Amino acid sequence: MDPDEQLARMLQEEEDQATAAAMAADEEQQRRTNAGGGGHAKQAHFNGRLESGVLTVTRFEDATAQAAAMRVIPAERLRAEARALVAAAAAHPGAAGSAAVSHPDATLLRLLHWFKHEFFTWCNNPPCHSCGCTDTRSEGGAPPSDEDQAYGATRVEAYRCPVCAATTRFPRYNDAVKLLETRAGRCGEWANAFTLCCRAMGFEARWVMDWTDHVWTECWSEAQGRWLHCDSCEDACDQPLLYEQGWGKKLSYVVAFGKDDVVDVTRRYVVDMADTATRRTECDELWLAGAVCRLTARLRLGEGGVRRRQALSARDAEEGLELGRAGGGSGGGGGQALPGRQTGSLAWRAARGELGPDPAAAPAAA
């Protein structure tokens, strides 16, 4: 056995043992949680959301799902546009708005723009399926059909048409492949479909859940050596403080789910982590740190290749340093003015308090 193979086997055995121990600890923690009450019940609910996030990103790895995404993405056109973007930036070094950009990063920018402006549509309320009227009115929920549930829609909204009185159903699908067909929804649908598109295009991507009700994507930039925030609803890239400083959200927990890891990335998205900590009351902090580590270990079980494991470990360390530096309360945004939320009806955004620092300047519709 050559030295490289011997080292690989040794590392694999160590990782398998560590994962087995982590999974056993996870089971014991779950047993204790189930046996408790009060705060334990909140923690059990939190754990359920973590497990749901892992299940979501696992589905993005399905080869059939990625193939479905590639059938609708104009990949060659986007790569050509990316080459033009790289060339334009190189032709004007130092000019405002023309910082050097790698071809993969430029492709990500073009994918984000295409998804927002050509592919997916925001749905405040669905048009009437009978007469096409766009002024349908919410009538609450409707029971999901077997087909709805087959595509992950456990919740269905019902809308009444004021013209013909027909009822139109709006299933809230969670199946990303189904969403490539419907091409409409709100932030959950957008993030599911866009993250699948990113994986199909070869980007390492995470699905990011904000506990105050928003979802987006992060993509790894090899050129920059860091994760980039990508919000397909807003066509926004690398603006992590958008939600706090632009929309005016009071964040609490932000967790990123990838095929290789689960990470509490809250610090990346807030200015003052000490202030944010006062709103983190859903679970014990030590428990959360242990939970994401155990889930990461589980996702990496059987991860092949010494170099890949070394790369992931180095990435973990670098991200840990980055997050440690963030959220220190010293401001942020690089002096950039960040807008309020752009998508959704004005009334809906106002009700959520996401119009930003200048509500009068908010666009009237998505």
Side-chain angles (χ1 to χ4, degrees), residues 56 60 173-176 179 187-196 207:
T56 295
F60 299 146
Y173 295 121
N174 283 309
D175 184 282
L179 293 169
C187 61
E189 290 91 344
W190 282 67
N192 278 358
F194 180 70
T195 307
L196 173 61
W207 180 83

Side-chain angles (χ1 to χ4, degrees), residues 76-94:
E76 290 309 310
R77 190 197 98 194
L78 297 179
R79 292 185 182 114
E81 291 174 356
R83 287 191 291 272
L85 184 61
V86 171
H92 303 283

Side-chain angles (χ1 to χ4, degrees), residues 90-110:
H92 303 283
S98 63
V101 60
S102 70
H103 185 262
D105 288 359
T107 303
L108 176 62
L109 292 174
R110 297 314 303 164

Side-chain angles (χ1 to χ4, degrees), residues 137-318:
R137 315 292 172 81
S138 173
E139 290 209 331
S145 67
D146 290 344
E147 182 181 3
D148 295 333
Q149 295 183 70
Y151 293 115
T154 57
R155 182 163 60 94
V156 177
E157 298 173 5
Y159 292 82
R160 176 76 68 176
C161 177
V163 176
C164 71
T167 297
T168 297
R169 302 168 75 258
F170 178 35
R172 302 301 304 277
Y173 295 121
N174 283 309
D175 184 282
V177 176
K178 180 66 172 178
L179 293 169
L180 297 176
E181 174 190 327
T182 63
R183 303 186 183 190
R186 302 193 194 116
C187 61
E189 290 91 344
W190 282 67
N192 278 358
F194 180 70
T195 307
L196 173 61
C197 289
C198 289
R199 291 296 299 126
M201 287 286 286
F203 295 105
E204 293 193 56
R206 289 167 165 174
W207 180 83
V208 185
M209 183 194 302
D210 153 33
W211 257 243
T212 63
D213 193 26
H214 191 46
V215 198
W216 59 88
T217 308
E218 286 184 345
C219 286
W220 176 255
S221 167
E222 195 66 44
Q224 300 183 53
R226 62 190 180 92
W227 290 96
L228 301 179
H229 150 259
C230 297
D231 191 322
S232 56
C233 296
E234 306 290 288
D235 190 11
C237 183
D238 202 19
Q239 297 180 355
L241 297 180
L242 174 67
Y243 312 113
E244 187 173 271
Q245 293 193 327
W247 296 14
K249 289 174 75 72
K250 297 292 184 182
L251 299 174
S252 56
Y253 300 95
V254 181
V255 180
F257 300 85
K259 73 180 185 67
D260 295 310
D261 52 19
V262 177
V263 184
D264 178 359
V265 293
T266 309
R267 281 181 169 272
R268 179 173 294 136
Y269 295 93
V270 302
V271 172
D272 188 345
M273 189 63 192
D275 177 65
T276 303
T278 64
R279 298 186 289 276
R280 289 166 66 99
T281 60
E282 297 298 311
C283 66
D284 177 77
E285 292 290 341
L286 288 177
W287 173 85
L288 176 56
V292 297
C293 285
R294 288 190 292 273
L295 289 171
T296 295
R298 195 171 85 196
L299 287 166
R300 293 182 184 179
L301 181 63
E303 180 72 55
V306 176
R307 290 184 179 179
R308 176 61 176 170
R309 289 196 295 273
Q310 290 175 336
L312 289 173
S313 294
R315 185 185 297 181
D316 291 345
E318 185 59 36

